Amino acid sequence: MPEDAIISWELARFCSGLSREIGRQIGLLINRRGLIEDVIVGNDREVVLPDLSDYRLGRQALRGIRLIHTHLRDEPLSQDDLTDLALLRLDLIAALGVRADGQPGHLYAANILPPNPAGKSCEVWSPVAVADCQVHLGEFLGSLEEELSRTRTAHLVDDLQEQAILVSVSRQSHADQEESLAELADLARSAGLMVLDMVVQRPQTLHPKYLLGSGKLKEVVIKALQHGVDYLVFDQNLSPAQATAIAAVTDLKVIDRTQLILDIFSRRAHSREGKLQVELAQLRYLLPRLTGRGTAMSRLAGGIGGRGPGETKLEVDRRRVRDRISHLEKQMEALARTRMQQRARRLRRAVPIISIVGYTNAGKSTLLNVLTRSRVTANNRLFETLDTASRRLRFPQEREAIVTDTVGFIRNLPAELMGAFRATLEELHDADLLLHVADLGSPTLERQVAAVGDILRELELDRLPRLLVLNKADLVDPTQATVVSARLGGLAVSAVRPDTLLPLLDTVEKQLWSLTQAGLSC
Ligand SMILES: Nc1nc2c(ncn2[C@@H]2O[C@H](COP(=O)(O)OP(=O)(O)OP(=O)(O)O)[C@@H](O)[C@H]2O)c(=O)[nH]1
Ligand SMILES: [Mg+2]
């Protein structure tokens, strides 16, 4: 028998004899050097594997350890064995059949397969007598690992770009679920993730532990591992208990919708205030999730690309997080005071204020730029703008107004963000007119308009005069633009065609000067 056999004859004989004697399965975790890392004693049907997080996978295709365990009735690998093989990325899994006389029977082995058209996750070997098992394991694993890495990198468009599988588990209508998932895909791309696949489940009842059924979860994780995916992104928000339970099943990074949005915000925050607000929101989200095991939690704590909130990336503990939250809250209070003074000064000047609000990516910054001939960053990514920018807009007859751009809204805006951005959003109360910009070209225009309406109501901004501006009219046909704007009571414009803005400017001027005159006189 070769030196690097799956298991030596002597060891096989010892394990099967002992297994028969105690009537329990015995499992061995063996590393690439052939050393036994762990011995597990199970019951007569299964062995329960210990936490393998010490054997980190990293970017490796295989974990570097194999599991050999006895089967008391000389029978093949079970479905659970094969799931463990794929989930844990074991080098190999083998069942050692034990004969009635305690001698080793057959060896049933299986290994992981690279992605293949048949969608098979593993290869089950034909059973052989232990004594006849002729395999040079070192060589075999070397070439398997090479093949696995090759097929993995073939999927990477850009080696630096991390990949994600999106998961949606919901009992909403089919259309709502698809729509929300499409938005999640945009969010994922805005966070720099490459979306490799989307998994949709519509169960009769939601699985309380993992949100989706455990079988389906394992299937998704196996697929992710097979394709070298780094992230599972859930469209639904996971409760702290669900996040911990899922993190216990897999080494993959698991994030939900809120975390994804928080991550995008943390990428886009530039100003001191913006950074403070995002870190505060991230920590508030993290705090109730800091109850589980160290490793699982540190993975949840890290943002995409390992960027977590501030310095508290690893081994975050609740006390440190709480201290940091109160420190940030104090800083925010100081900033809020400065803001109040600035607001007071601006109000004294009595220049009317127009605030642009609307769904993310509707074209708010682009509109501000064309209206005021400025250069605020506009980009086809969600949540491009986080910091408010104010610019001067000149009308004929020496009239002036200040136009402010704001952070975009999204449906189900995380409560943590609403809280953290309250100071920024507070400023909207000073507006004399809200320009609600919506994207006419979006298939979900009406829902976006409604979502913005809800958020404005929640912020008690619905008492302010508001004008609905249906932007990107150039993307739809003119009749549709007319019909939709009549139905929603909006003004169709295109920020990329300045001539379409004249009616808007006219309406704004009329509204402002009649309204502010009334406002100023009282
Ligand atoms: N075709 C067309 N594209 C537009 C128009 N207005 C804006 N865009 C594009 O839409 C994308 C989003 O524009 P932004 O101005 O960044 O949108 P925003 O509302 O400020 O987005 P956030 O700051 O992310 O909330 C950019 O790629 C713009 O070039 C328009 O009238 N027509
Ligand atoms: Mg913007």
Side-chain angles (χ1 to χ4, degrees), residues 359-367 377-385 405-408 471-475 493-496:
Y359 215 75
T360 181
N361 212 39
K364 300 179 295 298
S365 303
T366 313
L367 189 67
T377 321
N379 215 326
N380 195 13
R381 296 192 302 194
L382 305 190
F383 299 115
E384 183 62 30
T385 310
D405 186 14
T406 34
V407 53
N471 188 33
K472 308 197 190 180
D474 54 295
L475 297 181
V493 304
S494 167
V496 294

Side-chain angles (χ1 to χ4, degrees), residues 233-495:
V233 184
F234 282 78
D235 195 19
Q236 288 69 32
N237 286 331
L238 299 171
S239 69
Q242 284 167 339
T244 313
I246 297 170
V249 173
T250 167
D251 273 352
L252 295 172
K253 294 169 207 154
V254 177
I255 55 177
D256 63 15
R257 187 175 241 266
T258 296
Q259 272 175 303
L260 186 60
I261 295 176
L262 288 172
D263 194 273
I264 299 174
F265 270 66
S266 81
R267 278 161 194 261
R268 304 278 195 275
H270 299 298
S271 70
R272 177 153 165 259
E273 187 167 27
K275 285 184 179 149
L276 280 178
Q277 287 169 325
V278 176
E279 188 179 350
L280 194 55
Q282 282 183 309
L283 292 176
R284 282 181 183 156
Y285 184 79
L286 190 59
L287 192 59
R289 287 163 173 78
L290 287 178
T291 47
R293 300 174 308 149
T295 52
M297 295 329 289
S298 60
R299 264 186 292 128
L300 293 177
I304 292 169
R307 291 169 314 96
E311 296 154 13
T312 54
K313 201 164 56 190
L314 292 171
E315 283 148 25
V316 258
D317 74 43
R318 293 170 71 88
R319 193 179 49 78
R320 269 181 58 202
V321 171
R322 269 203 211 96
D323 289 351
R324 180 84 185 146
I325 287 179
S326 60
H327 175 70
L328 291 175
E329 280 170 347
K330 281 202 193 84
Q331 285 186 290
M332 287 294 305
E333 277 163 29
L335 279 174
R337 275 195 296 277
T338 322
R339 239 170 208 287
M340 283 288 278
Q341 288 157 5
Q342 287 169 351
R343 279 169 69 184
R345 231 175 291 141
R346 202 155 51 202
L347 288 178
R348 266 202 304 277
R349 265 195 270 137
V351 179
I353 297 171
I354 305 167
S355 287
I356 303 184
V357 294
Y359 215 75
T360 181
N361 212 39
K364 300 179 295 298
S365 303
T366 313
L367 189 67
L368 174 91
N369 286 340
V370 281
L371 288 177
T372 64
R373 298 195 180 82
S374 30
R375 278 199 218 119
V376 171
T377 321
N379 215 326
N380 195 13
R381 296 192 302 194
L382 305 190
F383 299 115
E384 183 62 30
T385 310
L386 283 202
D387 302 320
T388 43
S390 298
R391 298 287 182 274
R392 216 159 262 275
L393 169 63
R394 284 177 222 286
F395 292 93
Q397 303 173 22
E398 306 291 302
R399 281 171 170 171
E400 273 189 356
I402 288 174
V403 188
T404 65
D405 186 14
T406 34
V407 53
F409 297 163
I410 195 161
R411 74 188 110 158
N412 308 325
L413 190 71
E416 292 80 3
L417 273 180
M418 277 282 251
F421 275 78
R422 205 160 268 275
T424 313
L425 298 170
E426 280 282 291
E427 280 201 4
L428 292 173
H429 287 281
D430 299 337
D432 297 286
L433 177 65
L434 292 182
L435 282 192
H436 173 179
V437 178
D439 177 354
L440 248 183
S442 163
T444 59
L445 166 73
E446 298 195 22
R447 280 170 194 273
Q448 295 189 354
V449 169
V452 172
D454 289 346
I455 294 169
L456 291 177
R457 207 167 308 119
E458 213 169 306
L459 293 168
E460 294 174 4
L461 290 164
D462 49 338
R463 59 180 180 84
L464 292 178
R466 194 185 331 166
L467 191 63
L468 180 63
V469 181
L470 298 164
N471 188 33
K472 308 197 190 180
D474 54 295
L475 297 181
V476 298
D477 88 43
T479 334
Q480 190 191 342
T482 317
V483 171
V484 176
S485 41
R487 190 172 67 238
L488 298 180
L491 210 59
V493 304
S494 167

Side-chain angles (χ1 to χ4, degrees), residues 113 115-121:
L113 279 179
N116 52 77
K120 269 175 67 179
S121 64

